[in-house]
Amino acid sequence: MLERFSISLEQDLLKKFDRHLRSHKYGTRSEAIRDLIRKSLVKEEWDADEEVVGVISLVYDHHQRRLQDRITDAQHDYHHRVISTTHIHLDHDNCLEVIIARGNAGRVKELSERLTALRGVKNGSLSAASTGRHIH
Ligand code: NI
């Protein structure tokens, strides 16, 4: 059920908010506000070390010696948390591996940091997703 409430904002802040809403293609202010609230709830889950879902992306050098083994070893060490791994051969030199992990935020971050720090990983990122429990 939807509830309505009104918000008071300084003009300047409202202008900035409307710009944000246009650049992010929101249809209405309500949808933009709902998203901001959900984002901040997800951030709270991560900050409080709750159970989260994280999407780890790695772009790395296919020719780096033993790197693929190290990436696989790390995932075996966290095998209770890794729920999916997709490997894409981007081109002759580069691979992309996307790892979805579920568990306490601290452990998911730990895995992401371990993978990203490996020599030969050119780009590593962790996208903070949610289990969905707290953001209906
Ligand atoms: Ni590959």
Side-chain angles (χ1 to χ4, degrees), residues 60 62 68 87-97:
Y60 63 91
H62 166 70
Q68 182 64 62
H87 184 103
I88 291 151
H89 313 298
L90 285 177
D91 55 34
H92 183 71
D93 304 312
N94 295 297
C95 297
L96 165 68
E97 197 149 306

Side-chain angles (χ1 to χ4, degrees), residues 7-17:
I7 297 174
S8 311
L9 275 186
E10 288 83 4
Q11 254 185 355
D12 265 12
L13 191 56
L14 182 58
K15 269 187 203 151
K16 283 177 190 160
F17 179 61

Side-chain angles (χ1 to χ4, degrees), residues 9 16 22 36 45 57-58 72 90 97 99 117 123 125:
L9 275 186
K16 283 177 190 160
R22 276 193 302 274
L36 287 174
E45 290 175 12
S57 316
L58 305 170
T72 304
L90 285 177
E97 197 149 306
I99 298 145
N123 175 254
S125 71

Side-chain angles (χ1 to χ4, degrees), residues 52-54 75 78-85 99-103:
V52 299
V53 175
Q75 294 182 65
Y78 289 79
H79 68 275
H80 290 301
R81 278 140 188 119
V82 173
I83 50 183
S84 161
T85 303
I99 298 145
I100 302 179
R102 180 174 189 155

Side-chain angles (χ1 to χ4, degrees), residues 42-58:
V42 171
K43 189 176 179 303
E44 267 178 26
E45 290 175 12
W46 280 76
D47 291 346
D49 198 24
E50 289 180 34
E51 193 193 9
V52 299
V53 175
V55 182
I56 303 164
S57 316
L58 305 170

